[in-house]
Amino acid sequence: MIDPNQTVVFICDIQGSFKPVIHCMEHVIHSARMLKKGAEVFGMPVVVTEQYPSRLGATVEELEVKEGEAIAKTQFSMLTEEVEKRLAEMPERKHVLLCGVEAHVCVQQTVLGLIQKPGYSVTLVVDAVSSRYQVDRSVAIQTCRDHGAKLGTVESILFGMVGGKDHAHFKAISGLAKEARPEQQLTL
């Protein structure tokens, strides 16, 4: 069971320039938006990165990232000096829910880096992760699992935190789950 009081959400490089080239990108955006809104409901911090934003643009508008909230990077892993500093400021949060693109590059390198950090664990939110090609996505998910990452979908994760209809956040999470999904669906 994921404890929201020990968890941080990582959103990796979900930028507008990737929209036309990432497999099922609309589904990734929908699921990442749901994860971000769920994090807000539970009071979990959210860390957002942008890969080379001066060239690749900003985070997609659908994620409603405030000006200056995203951390610019040029390395592939999200574990930049600034992200490491943010993690150090919340030592009780050793579990990371990770989503973003591309699965086989930035996302995978972030997973592998986090797993090497003492005490950290990762859940890869598979319906909010993709690559340009399905094969790259599939192999990346398997690689992350082989190295110790757990796998989950955004709904299974958020409803797992709620546990039942009597939870204070049930209605908010249920409302998020009822939002229409894009026609294109990701599969494992």
Side-chain angles (χ1 to χ4, degrees):
M1 182 73 90
I2 296 170
D3 181 349
N5 297 312
Q6 297 176 355
T7 303
V8 59
V9 171
F10 275 21
I11 299 175
C12 184
D13 309 344
I14 302 180
Q15 294 160 255
S17 64
F18 293 126
K19 273 186 172 182
V21 296
I22 297 295
H23 176 70
C24 293
M25 184 63 159
E26 291 304 318
H27 188 110
V28 170
I29 292 168
H30 171 83
S31 296
R33 182 179 173 278
M34 184 176 173
L35 181 64
K36 184 175 183 280
K37 292 202 170 289
E40 291 166 1
V41 168
F42 283 103
M44 292 182 288
V46 177
V47 176
V48 179
T49 59
E50 295 172 345
Q51 181 68 28
Y52 195 19
S54 63
R55 176 84 169 155
L56 299 174
T59 301
V60 296
E61 291 178 5
E62 295 91 332
L63 294 184
E64 301 173 3
V65 174
K66 297 176 187 130
E67 182 74 30
E69 183 180 2
I71 299 167
K73 66 182 184 68
T74 54
Q75 70 182 42
F76 295 133
S77 172
M78 286 182 71
L79 296 178
T80 64
E81 188 175 319
E82 187 171 345
V83 171
E84 291 281 10
K85 180 180 171 194
R86 288 196 190 177
L87 286 175
E89 292 169 353
M90 46 183 148
E92 73 286 0
R93 296 186 183 271
K94 299 277 191 188
H95 187 76
V96 177
L97 296 175
L98 176 59
C99 69
V101 299
E102 283 195 72
H104 66 294
V105 184
C106 298
V107 172
Q108 180 175 292
Q109 288 187 29
T110 302
V111 167
L112 298 177
L114 283 165
I115 287 173
Q116 291 176 7
K117 290 175 68 63
Y120 277 82
S121 60
V122 181
T123 298
L124 190 61
V125 186
V126 295
D127 57 340
V129 169
S130 196
S131 295
R132 286 176 296 148
Y133 303 106
Q134 177 63 29
V135 67
D136 288 328
R137 178 182 181 271
S138 296
V139 171
I141 290 170
Q142 184 63 49
T143 298
C144 291
R145 182 179 6 194
D146 289 349
H147 283 86
K150 303 274 191 250
L151 306 182
T153 63
V154 66
E155 280 195 30
S156 69
I157 291 164
L158 294 177
F159 279 116
M161 289 180 189
V162 168
K165 76 166 196 67
D166 294 331
H167 192 281
H169 298 312
F170 172 76
K171 284 188 179 182
I173 298 304
S174 182
L176 290 174
K178 290 177 183 175
E179 292 180 7
R181 288 188 179 194
E183 284 186 37
Q184 264 190 329
Q185 298 290 313
L186 288 166
T187 60
L188 267 184

